[in-house]
Amino acid sequence: MNRKSLYDDILAVGAGCALFGIGLSLFLTPCGVILGGASGVAVLIHRYIPLPVGVGIILVNLPLLLFSVRITGWRGMTRTVLGVLAASVSTDIWALLPAAVDDPLLGAVFGGAIMGAGGALMLPRGVTTGGTDLAAYLICKKWKRCKVGTAILLIDTVIVSGAAVLSGNFSGIIHSAAAITAYSVALDTVMGSMGRAKLSLIISEKHVEIGNAIMRDICRGITVLNGRGWFTGSDRSVILCVVKRSELFALKSLVRAVDPAAFLIISDAAQVLGQGFEME
C-alpha cells in the first residue's frame, strides 16, 4: 500500500468512526433507540448500569474477537480490532455533548442514517465495528448452510425484541425498525455512490491457488481466461472476478498473501446481473 492510499484509508476510517459515534451518542442513545448489534446491547446495558456505551461495545465484542482470533489469527482481525476500538472511543467522546434530538422517531431515522453513512466509509476498507457482522460470520463458519444476511437479521431481531421485553416498551420496536431501515438505506446509498461492484483481472503463476482461495474465503465465482504475454510470448491464465465494493479489500489482501508478484487490475463495473448481484 502506498502512502497516499494509507492516508486515504486513515481519513475515511476516521470520518466513519466519527459518524458512528455521532449517530449513536447524539441521536440513538439519548432517545433510547436500540439499533441492534454490539452497539444495541451496549445501549441496553447502559440503561441499567452506569457504564459508558463505548466501553460496553468493547466488552460485548471482546469474546467475539477472541473467538475469531482463534479461527483467523491476529493478522486477519487487526482491522476489526482497530475499528471496534476507534468506534468505541468516538462514541464516548461524542457522549460528552448534549443530545441532538429528544424525539425517538427523529433520533431513530437520523441516528440510523448517520451510522449507516459511517459504516459505508469503513466497510470498503476492511474495517468493521464487530458486533452483528462478526457474530454472523462466526455462525456461518460453524453452520455452512446459514447465510450471513439471515444470521444478521436473526441476531438483530433477538436483540431488539429482548430490549422491548426488558423495558416493557413494545412501541420501541417501531423505532428500532426505523433506525435499522435508515441504517441500511444510508449504507447502500453511500456505498453505491462509490461503485457497487468491482471487476478484477488477476494475472499470476499461482492462479490455481488464488482461484481456490477466492472461492473458499470470499465465496465469489471466477472465470479463467487464456492469455499470452506479448513480450515473453508465454501463455498465462487470467482470473476474471467480480466482487462487491465491500469485498474489494479482502480480495486484494488475499491475492497479495498468495502471490505478492501477482498483477492485479481493478475497474468499476457499471452494472452486474446474476447470482449474488441481483438488482444491483
Side-chain angles (χ1 to χ4, degrees), residues 34-60:
I34 304 297
L35 182 63
S39 60
V41 176
V43 171
L44 187 59
I45 293 173
H46 178 71
R47 285 184 181 178
Y48 302 99
I49 302 175
L51 181 72
V53 175
V55 176
I57 292 174
I58 294 176
L59 294 178
V60 172

Side-chain angles (χ1 to χ4, degrees), residues 19 28 38 53-54 96 107 157 189 201 210 216 228 233 264:
L19 290 174
L28 296 181
V53 175
L96 299 175
T157 300
T189 301
L201 295 174
I210 292 175
R216 180 186 66 247
R228 171 171 293 189
L264 181 60

